[in-house]
């Protein structure tokens, strides 16, 4: 999720590195990604920033709401290997708060 474009730029950099190493990649704003997409992905790298007072970026809000669905169990994404890269300003109290919450939720769903 990216508010100002920094996280998007990092995601694009990671995608270029994947291409350089003949690894297929696909960059999507998180609001375009569903839990069903994650269940078939195999590997996902999440690059996200924190905005305001520890809030997720606008292009991540729908995705985040979907991840909070209480009907999902601890094995929902058990076949997914994940990496989470958080970007932000370390002078803020809730530095990388979104990345930390995302990682904890992914662990709770089987990672």
């Amino acid at each position: 999720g990216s508010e100002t474009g920094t996280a998007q730029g990092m995601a694009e950099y990671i995608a270029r590195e994947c291409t350089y190493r003949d690894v297929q990649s696909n960059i999507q704003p998180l609001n375009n990604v569903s839990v069903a997409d994650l269940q078939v992905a195999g590997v996902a790298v999440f690059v996200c920033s924190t905005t305001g007072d520890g809030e997720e970026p606008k292009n991540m809000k729908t995705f985040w709401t979907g991840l909070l669905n209480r009907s999902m169990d601890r094995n929902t994404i058990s076949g997914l290997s994940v990496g989470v890269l958080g970007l932000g300003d370390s002078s803020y109290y809730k530095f990388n708060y979104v990345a930390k919450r995302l990682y904890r939720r992914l662990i709770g769903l089987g990672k």
Side-chain angles (χ1 to χ4, degrees):
S2 186
E3 191 75 24
T4 63
T6 303
Q8 180 178 342
M10 180 57 69
E12 291 168 355
Y13 171 79
I14 292 169
R16 283 192 305 274
E17 289 298 312
C18 286
T19 301
Y20 178 73
R21 290 164 173 76
D22 293 323
V23 174
Q24 185 179 358
S25 65
N26 181 9
I27 300 174
Q28 291 292 321
L30 286 173
N31 282 344
N32 293 353
V33 178
S34 69
V35 173
D37 294 331
L38 297 179
Q39 290 171 321
V40 298
V43 175
V45 176
F46 297 89
V47 182
C48 52
S49 60
T50 301
T51 65
D53 189 30
E55 301 165 17
E56 63 277 345
K58 290 177 187 173
N59 71 350
M60 182 183 171
K61 287 184 183 290
T62 302
F63 173 76
W64 180 248
T65 301
L67 277 186
L68 295 178
N69 183 332
R70 294 186 188 270
S71 68
M72 292 188 286
D73 66 28
R74 294 192 55 83
N75 295 314
T76 299
I77 56 171
S78 61
L80 182 68
S81 296
V82 300
V84 178
L85 174 61
L87 304 174
D89 184 339
S90 62
S91 67
Y92 283 92
Y93 174 71
K94 292 189 174 179
F95 171 64
N96 270 337
Y97 187 68
V98 170
K100 292 171 187 175
R101 283 190 318 159
L102 174 59
Y103 182 74
R104 281 193 302 267
R105 183 60 180 151
L106 293 170
I107 293 299
L109 293 175
K111 289 309 346 121

